Amino acid sequence: MENTLVSICIPTYNGEKFIQEALDSVRNQTYKNIEVIISDDASKDSTMAICEQFKEKAPFPVHIYSHQPEGIGANWDHCIQRANGEFIKFLFQDDILEPNCVEEFVKLQHQTGENVFYCKRKLIDEDGADISETTYIADLQTPINLTFDDFYLFTKKDLKKLASKYSTALSHNFFGEPVACFASKKAYVSTGKHNSDLKQLVDFEYSLRLLEHYPVVITAQKLIRFRVHKQQTTYRNQLSDVKENDIINDYLIKKYFRYLDRRVIMRYYYNKYPLLSKLRGKIPF
């Protein structure tokens, strides 16, 4: 198992506030056959200085690359392109890996032979306190009634589960953030680059593209700590009223129409074309 090289990819931009905690969590990994790829979008704070200090003391290869910003997805792609590992584990500058994170993902990969994995996560606040029990997004699989004790192999057929508690919210990310993902470089390369036109849901759109060709293993283990704070991209996008739900809804209907529950499909069309709502009594729902 130790023969599998894992690239821990860290896209950065002005991350001096939390980056040291993220890097410390890499150093504390129980799995040792790793390299670190840091891709920086021309940070203007001390992010690069912190990363250079980390590189000097790290007992594993650390590669640092700087470039001009081209968008959040492009920075993720820069990491992937530079990675030498067979598998890639993303870590964002404000999040934390549990010490056994990489080890458990590698074990699960050897057990299943699959290419794409997601884990559950703890939610922490700006100070690192666990807030998992105080937020509705603590468990992303709950809204689709997906419960399991060990791990679940999610395939395209499981998109039927989107009917469970949804009205029109097809765009709910039920897989997880990129930091919750562990995937083969082969899967990333074959899926292609992230969608540069998206800002808020670029990660979920990419997960759905991965699902086209690869089953997704979701483990019940909480292997990361995802930080919720006002400086993160998601929060800033919400303040800017970035809305991309319709793009994801359209994609799901177009790409996965035959896998979706009929109720979900009808809700989608009623929402997209309000005049159809007048036919509710004539079209079985």
Side-chain angles (χ1 to χ4, degrees), residues 27-67:
R27 185 182 287 111
N28 293 333
Q29 288 301 297
T30 57
Y31 188 85
K32 302 303 182 184
N33 192 12
I34 61 175
E35 67 168 5
V36 175
I37 307 295
I38 298 173
S39 175
D40 185 70
D41 266 355
S43 289
K44 298 176 178 61
D45 62 3
S46 62
T47 297
M48 282 296 90
I50 296 171
C51 291
E52 290 290 351
Q53 292 176 1
F54 173 77
K55 178 179 180 178
E56 291 178 5
K57 299 178 181 179
F60 39 74
V62 177
H63 309 285
I64 301 175
Y65 305 94
S66 296
H67 46 78

Side-chain angles (χ1 to χ4, degrees), residues 84-145:
N84 300 298
E86 182 181 351
F87 282 82
I88 290 173
K89 178 74 198 77
F90 269 107
L91 171 62
F92 290 175
Q93 62 193 24
D94 43 6
D95 301 323
I96 296 172
L97 303 180
E98 298 293 358
N100 64 337
C101 177
V102 176
E103 180 179 1
E104 292 302 323
F105 270 125
V106 172
K107 285 181 181 177
L108 190 57
Q109 195 284 321
H110 281 261
Q111 180 181 351
T112 63
E114 299 296 343
N115 282 272
V116 182
F117 304 81
Y118 281 87
C119 67
K120 292 183 181 289
R121 72 276 199 273
K122 293 180 182 177
L123 297 181
I124 59 175
D125 64 13
E126 192 163 352
D127 300 318
D130 191 341
I131 57 171
S132 301
E133 302 304 318
T134 64
T135 174
Y136 73 97
I137 60 169
D139 190 305
L140 295 173
Q141 289 79 49
T142 296
I144 59 171
N145 285 343

Side-chain angles (χ1 to χ4, degrees), residues 170 249-257 260 265 268-269:
L170 286 173
N249 292 346
D250 292 347
Y251 175 83
L252 274 163
I253 292 293
K254 179 181 179 181
K255 182 63 65 175
Y256 294 116
F257 185 92
L260 296 173
I265 296 171
Y268 165 84
Y269 283 110

Side-chain angles (χ1 to χ4, degrees), residues 13 88 126 143 171 202 241 265:
Y13 176 70
I88 290 173
E126 192 163 352
S171 53
V202 58
D241 200 28
I265 296 171

Side-chain angles (χ1 to χ4, degrees), residues 175-192:
F175 286 125
E177 300 81 9
V179 69
C181 186
F182 178 87
S184 68
K185 182 169 181 177
K186 176 182 74 173
Y188 280 118
V189 171
S190 63
T191 300

